[in-house]
Amino acid sequence: MTLKEFDDSYRTDEIEFIAGLDEAGRGPICGPVVCACVVLDRNFDNSLINDSKKLTAKRRKELVPIIKQNAAAYSIVFIDAVTIDRINILEASRNGMQCALNKLKVSRKRVDFVLTDYMELVEESLDVVPLVKGDSKSLAIACASILAKEARDDYMCELDKIYPEYEFKKHKGYPTKRHLELAARYGVIDKLYRYSYKPVKKIISEKQTIKLF
């Protein structure tokens, strides 16, 4: 079954516009978690689209304008590190997905049905189906995963211009060995690093190094 055929299995005469929701950035120790919502109608398909983790960076970048141009609607939401620390990464991801969906509802974009990458949402007027590994099953979720991933990567590349010594462009905020060495050397950056994450707590406790954003 193709990704589009999977989405089509949920379509009826009343359900045409299916929204897919996904996030990028739950694992990094710094930077935001980014959530995207993509609404597709029954006519759109592209065999190159897949779970963002299964695509090369080059392919993802090529697909972004295709998705944006062909989607019935889309939205992207950033949830910062301060919020992640305050409510935890699961709730930050949930809130981000809910905000991304609400942005389309407020703008009066039509949404008939919602598929998420294994995230429960509370919706009174819409059916929401959380799917295990949804980004590798659903075309709409896969599109959302690509937009979220590329938006976050672009953000981290911009941070790299401001703080080149941290090499954000290379590791995108994930806790690689090199990243942890650099964070320990130069200090964690306030409001960018996630203080609730164990590697960050360890750096602060050992080095007592915090740099203001």
Side-chain angles (χ1 to χ4, degrees):
M1 181 182 291
T2 67
L3 302 187
K4 183 181 185 301
E5 287 171 344
F6 182 88
D7 285 6
D8 284 344
S9 69
Y10 287 96
R11 289 190 164 95
T12 65
D13 291 341
E14 290 76 34
I15 297 175
E16 178 176 1
F17 294 97
I18 292 180
L21 285 156
D22 202 1
E23 51 72 30
R26 288 179 70 165
I29 59 172
C30 74
V33 63
V34 179
C35 301
C37 179
V38 176
V39 180
L40 300 179
D41 63 32
R42 67 177 71 243
N43 298 314
F44 177 72
D45 191 16
N46 186 309
S47 61
L48 297 178
I49 293 172
N50 203 340
D51 171 8
S52 63
K53 296 185 290 297
K54 299 179 180 179
L55 301 173
T56 64
K58 181 175 183 292
R59 177 68 75 195
R60 287 196 305 267
K61 197 165 290 293
E62 292 170 346
L63 287 170
V64 166
I66 294 174
I67 294 169
K68 289 182 175 180
Q69 290 164 14
N70 288 279
Y74 69 90
S75 63
I76 301 171
V77 171
F78 287 66
I79 304 295
D80 62 29
V82 174
T83 303
I84 292 170
D85 285 338
R86 180 169 56 83
I87 63 176
N88 76 52
I89 187 60
L90 175 62
E91 290 307 313
S93 299
R94 192 193 315 278
N95 287 0
M97 287 190 190
Q98 189 70 62
C99 288
L101 179 60
N102 289 345
K103 283 177 68 173
L104 299 186
K105 292 166 64 178
V106 168
S107 63
R108 299 182 185 278
K109 298 296 184 181
R110 180 177 166 186
V111 179
D112 300 321
F113 196 80
V114 180
L115 298 173
T116 75
D117 188 32
Y118 205 48
M119 182 65 74
E120 297 277 358
L121 298 179
V122 178
E123 280 290 322
E124 294 181 359
S125 59
L126 289 170
D127 287 328
V128 179
V129 177
L131 298 168
V132 177
K133 296 183 179 179
D135 45 9
S136 62
K137 296 176 181 177
S138 160
L139 183 65
I141 297 176
C143 287
S145 77
I146 292 169
L147 294 195
K149 171 65 174 169
E150 282 303 295
R152 190 179 189 283
D153 283 359
D154 288 346
Y155 176 89
M156 297 308 294
C157 287
E158 288 302 310
L159 274 187
D160 185 79
K161 297 175 183 178
I162 303 171
Y163 303 102
E165 67 272 23
Y166 287 82
E167 301 179 6
F168 289 129
K169 188 175 182 179
K170 294 181 180 179
H171 52 69
K172 306 299 192 299
Y174 284 86
T176 63
K177 181 180 178 182
R178 175 64 173 168
H179 182 195
L180 294 175
E181 290 173 350
L182 294 171
R185 181 187 307 169
Y186 297 109
V188 299
I189 305 170
D190 189 36
K191 298 182 181 178
L192 283 184
Y193 277 80
R194 303 175 184 179
Y195 292 167
S196 57
Y197 279 41
K198 288 182 179 178
V200 179
K201 289 180 179 179
K202 186 172 185 292
I203 291 171
I204 293 174
S205 66
E206 291 180 354
K207 301 294 184 178
Q208 293 296 319
T209 50
I210 298 178
K211 179 184 292 187
L212 297 180
F213 178 58

